[in-house]
Structures are given as structure tokens and as C-alpha cells.
Amino acid sequence: HVQLVESGGGSVHTGGSLRLSCVDRRNIGRHYCMGWFRQAPGKDREAVAAIETDGSASYAESVKGRFTISRDDARNTVYLQMINLSPEDTALYTCVSDTVWVGCRRSVGVAAWGQGTQVTVS
């Protein structure tokens, strides 16, 4: 059963914007680091951004200044605001929790992935 549910993907033109959302449907009773990674066809997974429980965030160099990750713990939701999109940003964007390789400082044993939401920029 799907624990992290993404939404907000779609098709936009170069220079456009999208806002991805990810709801964590679990009721674990604590907060933890959340993040996003992406994977384009034929390419390796790329960590995009992560946000800790204190709000500190990390970003891939390729998205710095264009993407902003944020969280709303009352809604168990993490967002990825993307502006000035280019075709190189086309990928399946997947939300993850508690995952060090995405950028989280440490794991606390509640790692999970969503199924992804497609972003296409042309």
C-alpha cells in the first residue's frame, strides 16, 4: 500500500513552473527528513532536494536557485516548488522520507518512497 503520495506533475513549456506535493499517509507520530529525487529515461537517479525537521534544506547544484523544498508538518506534506524549468528537468519525480542519499543527515528507520509524478518540460 502506498505510503507517500505525490501530485502536481504535468507538462509545461520551458521557463514554466510547477509545484509538486507529497502527502505522507502514515501516522508515525513523529516528523523526519523528507526529500525528492528524479530519474529521467536512460539516466541515473538524481537527488534533488531534502528538508530536515528544523526546516534546513539541501539541493542539487542543478536546481539551486530554481527549486524550493518546504514542508507542512500539520498536513504531513512536503512541497517542491519548481520555477524556470528546462527540458533537462524532465523526469519522474519521486518523494522519499528519511533517506540519506537524497540529502537527509541521518536515517531514523522510517524510509519510504512514493510512486512518482511525471514532469515534462518542452
Side-chain angles (χ1 to χ4, degrees):
H1 101 162
V2 179
Q3 297 171 317
L4 304 184
V5 181
E6 303 98 334
S7 61
S11 297
V12 296
H13 292 303
T14 298
S17 302
L18 284 172
R19 187 194 195 205
L20 307 183
S21 299
C22 170
V23 178
D24 188 338
R25 290 183 167 175
R26 300 170 292 176
N27 240 339
I28 295 179
R30 61 180 296 185
H31 300 300
Y32 31 82
C33 178
M34 300 290 293
W36 295 87
F37 73 89
R38 65 187 182 185
Q39 187 166 22
K43 294 189 177 180
D44 292 335
R45 287 184 196 135
E46 178 187 22
V48 174
I51 185 166
E52 301 286 351
T53 56
D54 63 3
S56 58
S58 60
Y59 297 93
E61 284 297 323
S62 58
V63 307
K64 276 183 181 176
R66 300 186 300 120
F67 290 13
T68 303
I69 190 170
S70 61
R71 61 191 295 153
D72 182 345
D73 288 338
R75 291 181 168 81
N76 288 336
T77 301
V78 63
Y79 304 98
L80 187 67
Q81 177 68 52
M82 307 183 293
I83 65 171
N84 195 20
L85 287 162
S86 72
E88 289 69 36
D89 295 313
T90 295
L92 183 70
Y93 284 71
T94 302
C95 173
V96 297
S97 68
D98 191 39
T99 301
V100 172
W101 68 264
V102 168
C104 296
R105 293 190 202 114
R106 62 189 183 101
S107 171
V108 295
V110 293
W113 288 17
Q115 293 188 319
T117 184
Q118 179 67 37
V119 171
T120 303
V121 186
S122 61

